[in-house]
Amino acid sequence: INAGIYTSASNGLHTVRLTVASGTPDINYFIRVGEESISTTIHEGLVNRGGEKLSVQVYPNPYTSGRLTFHLNGFENNDKVKVTITNPQGKVVFTQVRDNSAFFEEDLSDVLKAYMYFITVEAGSQRVLKKLIVN
């Protein structure tokens, strides 16, 4: 479905809202096609250059406190993997650049309050988005 056209913000941040008029669609990804006809895909199941599936597991999810565990599958051969956690308004609450790390833990008890967050893991043009619920 072509959901429409939008203009890019000068700061690089974008908000995309999809309004479902009726029914219960199962939306698990979207593709943004840039002006240069380069696709940027945000979803699990994307395949890296070595043919491995990209995926991100974060647990516990829902999270309450203590250590949050990250498994970054398919990102192992990248020099720099950026992990960002944002709230639904787009405010970045945590960011870190990892070198060749498929598994790590962080205590984010002081950073994450009861809310819904988005975890974005990026390496080059490859990006995976994961939802995190904090109780």
Side-chain angles (χ1 to χ4, degrees), residues 26-126:
D26 183 13
I27 300 170
N28 60 4
Y29 73 95
F30 69 91
I31 298 173
R32 177 200 173 261
V33 179
E35 294 170 1
E36 304 84 20
S37 298
I38 298 172
S39 295
T40 301
T41 307
I42 303 176
H43 66 93
E44 290 200 11
L46 189 70
V47 178
N48 69 10
R49 292 184 184 113
E52 300 171 86
K53 278 191 173 183
L54 296 177
S55 66
V56 175
Q57 283 82 41
V58 180
Y59 57 88
N61 191 4
Y63 171 77
T64 52
S65 65
R67 299 191 78 61
L68 189 60
T69 303
F70 295 80
H71 281 274
L72 312 178
N73 299 311
F75 290 94
E76 296 87 354
N77 295 322
N78 292 288
D79 292 336
K80 296 194 184 316
V81 177
K82 183 177 179 184
V83 178
T84 306
I85 301 177
T86 57
N87 66 21
Q89 288 76 35
K91 180 181 178 193
V92 174
V93 296
F94 173 83
T95 188
Q96 188 175 87
V97 176
R98 314 271 317 164
D99 291 333
N100 245 348
S101 182
F103 171 85
F104 67 97
E105 295 180 329
E106 290 288 333
D107 185 349
L108 299 172
S109 301
D110 294 338
V111 176
L112 302 176
K113 306 302 176 206
Y115 212 56
M116 179 184 72
Y117 297 89
F118 297 102
I119 300 171
T120 306
V121 178
E122 340 180 36
S125 64
Q126 300 172 322

Side-chain angles (χ1 to χ4, degrees), residues 3-16:
I5 298 173
Y6 69 92
T7 54
S8 298
S10 61
N11 64 2
L13 298 175
H14 309 283
T15 299
V16 177

